[in-house]
Amino acid sequence: MEAAFLPAQQHFSLHALTASRQDGNAASDSPVTDHTSAHVTPLQRLRTPVWLYDIDQGRVLWANEAALGLWCSDSLEELRQRDMAREMSPTIAQRLRQLQQDFRLHDRSSTELWTLYPRGMPRTVDIVCTGWVLDDGRMGMLCEAIGESMTDAVTLRSAEAMVHTPVMVTLYSVRGRALYRNPAARATVDHPDAGARSRVLDRRELRQIVEQLHRNGQARATTQVSTSLGPRWHDISVRLCRDPVEGRQVFLVSEIDITELKQAESRAHWLAMRDTLTGLPNRSFVSRDFQQRLDGLHASGGEAALIFIDLDRFKAVNDSLGHDIGDRLLVEIAQRLYATLDTDDLVARLGGDEFLVLVSNRDGDIERRTRQLVRRLQAELGRTVMIGRLQMQVTPSMGICRFPRDGHDIDALLRNADLALYRAKEAGGNGVGWFTPELVRIARERIQLEQDLRVAVERHQFEVHYQPRVQVGSGHLVGAEALVRWRHPRRGLVAPDVFIGLSEETGLIRSIGAMVLEKAARQQVLWQSLGRRLRISVNLSPRQFGDPGLVDTIARIVRDTGCDPQQIELEITESVMLGQDESTNRALHQLADMGFRLAIDDFGTGYSNLAYLQRCPISTLKIDRSFIAGDDGVSPLARLVITMCRMLGIETVAEGVETEAQLDWLRTQDCDEYQGHLCSPALPADQFERQMLTMAGPA
């Protein structure tokens, strides 16, 4: 059974039938007392089709002769066997449930325009529907077809569309009384007479809609409305029009449920503001909500502190244990961070192992509160973390700046907190740096230095100086260490400790290192042509070993300069050995196969591991100056290193020798070579030739 409904004035009908049910007459006067025979003589005689419909079962229980004709049925029994619910659309089924509810709660009848489909042929009739309590207490529906409709095709199809559309359409009087609701709109209210005033939840938006109506005759809004399912988001359009029944001005309201879209937008917004790994707010959240908090503090005269947190040596966790373990560590740290903060503090993950905390003042002493929080954070974040069977521990470095003293917006505070964090990292990590204006000057100088350094690489402003390497026993010059110097156009000669660290950070060390090696190789060729066979040592940085083209670059330098690789020693740091992977190990053996000697520089200052002395083709070990004995001649660590190298067949070179007493002590320990100011500082190549070549032993 399909139907199209037009708005109609609701009224009660079938008064005679109602009376017959109440006067206690024979059961044959009631269409529901005997579902099998149901002989109701007065109703059967009516030319008006009348039938009783079981809404729950979707079947006709009884029908008079006229109704059998309307339904094209030969008998009541045949009509009762039809499953009308099977081919009924969900919209019509919903409408019947609405009528059933109205019958049960409000004892109302309804005049409807239905299109029936007996034997598949459409017949449009006006029907009065009245609630009828069945024998088992369920609510059925007594239907009275009062005449076939002469409605034209366009009107009929528009009525059908009004029934099936998901758009909720309601006609309200100017006082907000509901005059008509289509099935979609009726499904959203508990009571058919629910008015317009209780529909929109936000009173301010309701006033705006009314103002637009008075001003323009129409209005539109996206707002939350009250429905039978609870608050929902609807896109509402309202127009002034005329009631076709009474001619009065009314409001026609159409609504589209966009709750799912709103929820999707809300979810997308939440995801846009959240870090997917830890669930903490992200950088976008910082830009918006941190700034809103600062704006509120500015208006109230409050203060705050921004804490920039970075985990020390977190990269080593990812490199050695894998990113999965690193991610699980970050999740644990994020949970501890969130649990340590007070409810009014804001926290976010900026990315990687960087976190941000905004602390607001309560009692006016923001610095004291911040220091207390920092101590708690250091204790909590520094506790041992168990990931599976792995026991791990990380330490936090923190940079802190204060609002409004150190900045008035989140961008300025972020920059300054980052500068303070950099200072904490420079101090060795696991500490706290507080922002001072001096850090801005240092940062600007560093930026300028980086710019100058890039220009220096392009314009070849670097020189190579050479520090002698001397045999401890004979005092003969046997080699030199090539050390880079920067001839700055304004600052003059710049020592390597000023720019080497920055070169490492920026990656410029690769270009600078290749340049130094090439200059040293050409110098070796030149000195050899003069009859001086000197071994030249050149430093290779850890960053250079991260370059997969390092070996090819060095091979090219050998071809271009014609140098003798056996007379060049490549110095590497212990950090290269510590982070040794297959590619590093392969590069070291390739360089050794090319004829280069390999030396470990500044031995003892890093994570010394004697195992790599046997695994790798190391020829020389250079003892750091801090291990060389003072004038008292006591240095047990240096003695141990020299003895160990003698056993392994590795040459030893003592660095930073400055006194004759230190040199005498090295002689007693059978150290092979030394370098230091006792002999000479590093010199330009021409000075080295004039002053030092006379010390050289036999070629």
Side-chain angles (χ1 to χ4, degrees):
M1 179 174 60
E2 289 287 341
F5 306 100
L6 287 177
Q9 182 179 0
Q10 295 182 340
H11 62 276
F12 291 95
S13 63
L14 301 178
H15 299 293
L17 179 60
T18 303
S20 70
R21 295 184 64 202
Q22 294 175 346
D23 62 11
N25 290 340
S28 60
D29 289 334
S30 173
V32 293
T33 54
D34 184 358
H35 290 175
T36 58
S37 58
H39 297 294
V40 184
T41 304
L43 292 180
Q44 287 178 335
R45 293 174 181 170
L46 288 176
R47 296 180 181 179
T48 301
V50 179
W51 65 96
L52 183 63
Y53 183 70
D54 187 334
I55 298 174
D56 297 317
Q57 301 298 326
R59 296 180 184 275
V60 171
L61 299 178
W62 174 87
N64 67 358
E65 291 294 334
L68 293 177
L70 176 65
W71 284 103
C72 300
S73 178
D74 297 332
S75 68
L76 175 60
E77 186 63 27
E78 186 276 330
L79 182 60
R80 291 173 62 181
Q81 294 301 317
R82 296 184 190 179
D83 184 359
M84 296 184 176
R86 184 176 59 184
E87 297 181 358
M88 187 181 297
S89 70
T91 304
I92 297 303
Q94 177 191 51
R95 176 56 180 162
L96 291 177
R97 290 293 182 186
Q98 293 171 4
L99 288 172
Q100 185 181 45
Q101 183 183 28
D102 290 347
F103 296 152
R104 183 182 296 115
L105 299 179
H106 312 297
D107 192 26
R108 290 183 173 180
S109 64
S110 177
T111 300
E112 309 276 340
L113 178 66
W114 283 11
T115 299
L116 310 178
Y117 295 88
R119 306 293 186 187
M121 296 299 296
R123 296 187 67 176
T124 303
V125 292
D126 290 312
I127 299 177
V128 176
C129 304
T130 306
W132 195 271
V133 180
L134 305 179
D135 287 348
D136 57 8
R138 293 181 298 110
M139 180 61 68
M141 181 172 65
L142 187 67
C143 304
E144 177 188 2
I146 57 178
E148 291 205 40
S149 175
M150 304 303 293
T151 305
D152 62 87
V154 173
T155 303
L156 185 60
R157 285 169 178 156
S158 66
E160 186 79 3
M162 186 65 68
V163 169
H164 291 282
T165 179
V167 178
M168 295 155 275
V169 179
T170 308
L171 202 64
Y172 291 104
S173 71
V174 292
R175 294 185 177 276
R177 182 172 62 87
L179 303 175
Y180 161 73
R181 284 188 171 94
N182 75 335
R186 174 64 182 85
T188 66
V189 295
D190 293 321
H191 194 285
D193 293 333
R197 295 185 183 277
S198 60
R199 187 68 165 171
V200 178
L201 294 177
D202 190 323
R203 299 294 93 185
R204 183 183 60 179
E205 291 189 358
L206 178 59
R207 287 194 298 270
Q208 291 175 350
I209 291 173
V210 172
E211 290 172 0
Q212 289 182 49
L213 276 172
H214 287 311
R215 185 168 58 250
N216 305 320
Q218 60 184 11
R220 184 168 181 176
T222 298
T223 185
Q224 276 193 306
V225 299
S226 174
T227 76
S228 56
L229 298 177
R232 305 282 291 181
W233 283 96
H234 283 189
D235 184 20
I236 299 178
S237 294
V238 188
R239 291 178 180 274
L240 288 175
C241 61
R242 293 283 181 179
D243 179 7
V245 176
E246 298 179 350
R248 297 179 181 178
Q249 192 176 59
V250 291
F251 299 125
L252 180 64
V253 180
S254 61
E255 304 173 53
I256 300 175
D257 192 322
I258 59 169
T259 303
E260 292 184 0
L261 177 61
K262 275 289 187 178
Q263 290 172 344
E265 289 178 349
S266 178
R267 176 64 178 169
H269 178 73
W270 188 90
L271 290 175
M273 293 290 170
R274 292 283 169 169
D275 171 52
T276 55
L277 175 64
T278 64
L280 291 179
N282 61 12
R283 186 179 290 272
S284 297
F285 181 93
V286 169
S287 299
R288 188 195 68 177
D289 290 61
F290 276 41
Q291 186 60 56
Q292 289 177 357
R293 176 67 61 86
L294 294 176
D295 292 342
L297 290 170
H298 177 73
S300 63
E303 294 180 309
L306 191 68
I307 307 175
F308 203 144
I309 303 173
D310 181 270
L311 303 181
D312 300 326
R313 294 174 292 280
F314 177 74
K315 184 177 183 299
V317 175
N318 277 339
D319 293 343
S320 60
L321 300 177
H323 286 270
D324 179 62
I325 297 297
D327 287 349
R328 292 169 66 181
L329 175 61
L330 288 174
V331 170
E332 174 64 25
I333 293 297
Q335 291 173 350
R336 292 185 183 185
L337 183 60
Y338 184 80
T340 306
L341 302 178
D342 293 330
T343 54
D344 57 345
D345 296 333
L346 297 180
V347 61
R349 179 189 177 210
L350 295 184
D353 60 331
E354 295 180 339
F355 299 88
L356 202 65
V357 174
L358 183 65
V359 186
S360 305
N361 69 325
R362 293 178 180 176
D363 54 9
D365 191 347
I366 188 62
E367 183 170 333
R368 181 180 64 82
R369 182 173 179 235
T370 303
R371 292 186 185 277
Q372 291 174 347
L373 177 58
V374 164
R375 286 193 292 269
R376 295 203 307 270
L377 289 174
Q378 287 177 319
E380 287 299 312
L381 302 186
R383 284 193 298 110
T384 299
V385 178
M386 292 299 299
I387 300 180
R389 295 183 178 181
L390 287 174
Q391 182 172 311
M392 308 170 61
Q393 190 170 18
V394 293
T395 55
S397 291
M398 306 185 198
I400 305 172
C401 65
R402 283 158 284 192
F403 168 85
R405 192 184 74 175
D406 300 330
H408 291 84
D409 59 71
I410 190 62
D411 292 333
L413 292 173
L414 263 174
R415 289 194 301 270
N416 293 339
D418 194 18
L419 291 175
L421 175 63
Y422 185 79
R423 173 58 60 90
K425 286 284 191 181
E426 278 189 324
N430 194 22
V432 180
W434 289 79
F435 173 78
T436 63
E438 177 69 9
L439 296 181
V440 177
R441 182 189 64 78
I442 295 173
R444 289 173 179 169
E445 290 180 353
R446 184 177 180 276
I447 293 173
Q448 184 62 53
L449 183 65
E450 180 180 341
Q451 293 174 347
D452 291 349
L453 195 57
R454 295 185 183 278
V455 172
V457 171
E458 295 174 359
R459 299 181 180 178
H460 308 286
Q461 295 176 351
F462 297 98
E463 302 175 359
V464 177
H465 290 194
Y466 299 88
Q467 186 173 42
R469 283 175 51 171
V470 182
Q471 280 186 339
V472 171
S474 67
H476 290 158
L477 177 70
V478 293
E481 180 178 358
L483 298 170
V484 67
R485 300 291 185 267
W486 177 11
R487 183 69 66 177
H488 194 283
R490 297 187 308 277
R491 300 172 62 173
L493 198 63
V494 180
D497 58 347
V498 175
F499 65 88
I500 288 298
L502 184 58
S503 300
E504 290 273 2
E505 292 179 23
T506 58
L508 293 173
I509 193 64
R510 294 176 179 175
S511 298
I512 297 173
M515 179 273 300
V516 172
L517 179 58
E518 183 171 351
K519 285 181 177 290
R522 295 188 185 281
Q523 193 64 55
Q524 184 270 325
V525 172
L526 176 61
W527 283 339
Q528 185 164 311
S529 69
L530 297 176
R532 300 300 183 183
R533 189 173 176 81
L534 298 177
R535 182 186 303 159
I536 301 179
S537 58
V538 181
N539 291 281
L540 293 181
S541 77
R543 189 68 178 265
Q544 285 177 276
F545 271 90
D547 181 4
L550 173 64
V551 174
D552 292 338
T553 298
I554 294 177
R556 177 190 58 78
I557 291 174
V558 172
R559 291 194 303 269
D560 292 348
T561 62
C563 68
D564 181 3
Q566 295 183 354
Q567 290 302 109
I568 296 180
E569 192 169 73
L570 302 177
E571 297 185 10
I572 60 178
T573 63
E574 288 185 272
S575 60
V576 171
M577 309 303 296
L578 178 67
Q580 189 181 46
D581 56 18
E582 184 57 35
S583 61
T584 301
N585 187 60
R586 183 169 56 251
L588 290 173
H589 280 86
Q590 287 176 330
L591 294 173
D593 292 342
M594 293 168 61
F596 290 101
R597 294 171 59 88
L598 299 177
I600 296 179
D601 192 21
D602 299 330
F603 182 81
T605 59
Y607 298 90
S608 302
N609 186 339
L610 302 182
Y612 57 63
L613 296 179
Q614 293 181 309
R615 289 198 307 265
C616 300
I618 303 299
S619 304
T620 304
L621 192 149
K622 303 186 75 172
I623 306 171
D624 187 75
R625 67 181 64 236
S626 62
F627 290 87
I628 302 303
D631 291 339
D632 57 4
V634 177
S635 181
L637 289 177
R639 181 185 296 115
L640 177 63
V641 171
I642 294 171
T643 301
M644 175 195 65
C645 288
R646 192 162 54 247
M647 294 173 59
L648 295 174
I650 297 175
E651 291 185 359
T652 52
V653 179
E655 297 181 293
V657 177
E658 298 181 351
T659 67
E660 288 289 347
Q662 291 173 333
L663 181 57
D664 291 340
W665 183 84
L666 292 172
R667 289 193 186 100
T668 64
Q669 303 302 316
D670 290 333
C671 182
D672 296 302
E673 301 174 18
Y674 81 93
Q675 63 187 83
H677 283 200
L678 177 63
C679 176
S680 171
L683 301 171
D686 56 348
Q687 291 185 36
F688 185 92
E689 292 174 7
R690 289 195 302 269
Q691 298 180 28
M692 304 308 302
L693 290 186
T694 57
M695 297 175 53

